[in-house]
Amino acid sequence: MQRVTGIGGIFFKAKDAPALRAWYKRHLAIDVQAWGGAAFTWTGPDGKPTGGTTIWSVAPEESGQFAPSDASFMVNYRVPDLHALVTALKAEGCNVLEKTDDSEYGKFAWVIDPEGNKVELWEPPVGQ
């Protein structure tokens, strides 16, 4: 079974999220949107889109988005078959959170790694 196929997103907390977003926008030209992040479209060697995105987002320090982890970051990994991977991780004794999400953005599940970091698993919607 194929497991992780790429990184779907990088999420991290900041003491002053608006100021940090502005710094990245000004100095690194990241196109930070009103929702607090940017979507990087994947491109091939010819510069044309290849059907994927990587999300980059800065959350306020008090955000509960990464709970139950107290880490200041979370990585989102692309997976081809979320339900099969969740089943395998549970069978392997991993700390898989019971909550899952299925939306227009795809299917999501979360696992806590041995260091206590919350890891997001994402199966993109069909065609992405």
Side-chain angles (χ1 to χ4, degrees), residues 33-87:
Q33 301 295 304
W35 53 267
F40 294 94
T41 301
W42 295 0
T43 59
D46 58 1
K48 293 182 181 175
T50 61
T53 56
T54 299
I55 299 300
W56 174 95
S57 180
V58 180
E61 188 173 44
E62 60 275 1
S63 170
Q65 179 181 359
F66 310 152
S69 173
D70 59 4
S72 62
F73 70 93
M74 181 175 66
V75 178
N76 164 294
Y77 294 100
R78 286 176 67 109
V79 301
D81 185 342
L82 183 72
H83 295 298
L85 179 55
V86 165
T87 299

Side-chain angles (χ1 to χ4, degrees), residues 5 51 77-80 104-107 122-128:
T5 61
Y77 294 100
R78 286 176 67 109
V79 301
E104 65 186 281
Y105 303 109
K107 298 174 186 172
W122 170 53
E123 181 182 333
V126 175
Q128 190 184 78

